[in-house]
Amino acid sequence: VRHITQQLASALLHLKSVGIIHVDIKPRNVMVVDRRKPLRVKLVDFGGSQMSGNIDNETFACTQIYSSPEVLLHSEINEAVDMWSLGVTAFKLAVGTDLFPYRTCYSILKSILNLFGQPPDEVLDKGLQTEHFFKKGTSGGVRWTLRTAEECGLEDKKDAFEGFGDVEQILSVHQGQETGLDRFVDLIKRMLQVDPNQRITPLEALQHSFF
C-alpha cells in the first residue's frame, strides 16, 4: 500500500503541474506495470478527466463511493477531489473493503459526516445538489443540516462504521503496527478532509512521514 499510494501521489503532483484533474481515481484505474518489488503502478483511464479552470461540475463522470463531498454535491471542484479519491482508494487497497459501501449518494454523504464532519458552508452553498440532501438550518447558527433518510424518500440504514475509531480498528487488523499504522491513519485523515482547502496536497502527501 505504501509504494502504490506514493506512486499515485506522484502522479497527482504531475497532473496538477499540467492542470489536469483525473476525477475518477479508484482501484480499477490503477494498473500494475511491474510486479517485482517494489510494485510499480500507473494511473489509467483519463476519459472523464477535466482541465483546471474549465470544469463542468454537472456532467463529469465519476464513481460515487470514491467521490469527495464537493463532487457528490456538484459544488465547485479543483484538483483536491483527486486527493480525496486517493485516500478512499488507499483504504480499499489496505483493507480490501470499501470505506463507503453504499448505493445512494445520501448514504455516502451521511457516512462522510459521521466519520469526518460536515463540509464547510462554502462547499454546501455552491452545491447544485445540496438542497436534495440538506435543509437550511433553523437554530444554533447552523446554515445547513443533513436531511433524514425519510425526508429524502429513503430507508434509514446503519452506517458501516460508527465512527473513525472503527476505521482505525479495521486498519490495524489488516496492516499491523509494523507498517507505520499511526502515520498511515494520519495520512488518510489528511486526504479525507471535508474542506478541500484543508485537504493535503500531492506535494505535502509525498513529504508525509508515512513515506
Side-chain angles (χ1 to χ4, degrees), residues 65-99:
I65 61 173
Y66 294 97
S67 296
S68 67
E70 60 269 29
V71 169
L72 296 173
L73 294 168
H74 289 201
S75 189
E76 290 185 357
I77 71 167
N78 57 30
E79 65 274 359
V81 303
D82 283 342
M83 186 55 69
W84 176 282
S85 299
L86 177 54
V88 182
T89 296
F91 177 88
K92 176 66 177 283
L93 294 175
V95 175
T97 58
D98 292 315
L99 182 57

Side-chain angles (χ1 to χ4, degrees), residues 31-64:
M31 177 183 290
V32 176
V33 295
D34 191 340
R35 294 186 178 277
R36 293 173 295 181
K37 292 185 178 181
L39 198 69
R40 291 182 57 237
V41 300
K42 67 178 180 180
L43 190 59
V44 298
D45 192 358
F46 286 79
S49 61
Q50 301 269 338
M51 297 298 298
S52 298
N54 186 30
I55 300 166
D56 183 349
N57 65 347
E58 292 190 70
T59 61
F60 56 74
C62 61
T63 304
Q64 280 191 161

Side-chain angles (χ1 to χ4, degrees), residues 8 12 51 78 89 93 113 123 128 132 152 167 170 174 177 191 201 206:
L8 294 176
L12 294 192
M51 297 298 298
N78 57 30
T89 296
L93 294 175
L113 266 65
V123 170
L128 301 179
H132 287 276
C152 292
V167 175
I170 193 171
H174 286 267
Q177 295 294 333
M191 289 177 167
T201 67
L206 289 168

Side-chain angles (χ1 to χ4, degrees), residues 102-104 106-107 110 149 154-160:
Y102 311 105
R103 293 185 177 183
T104 68
Y106 172 83
S107 295
K110 179 172 175 282
L154 300 168
E155 180 183 352
D156 191 12
K157 295 184 178 180
K158 184 179 180 181
D159 287 345

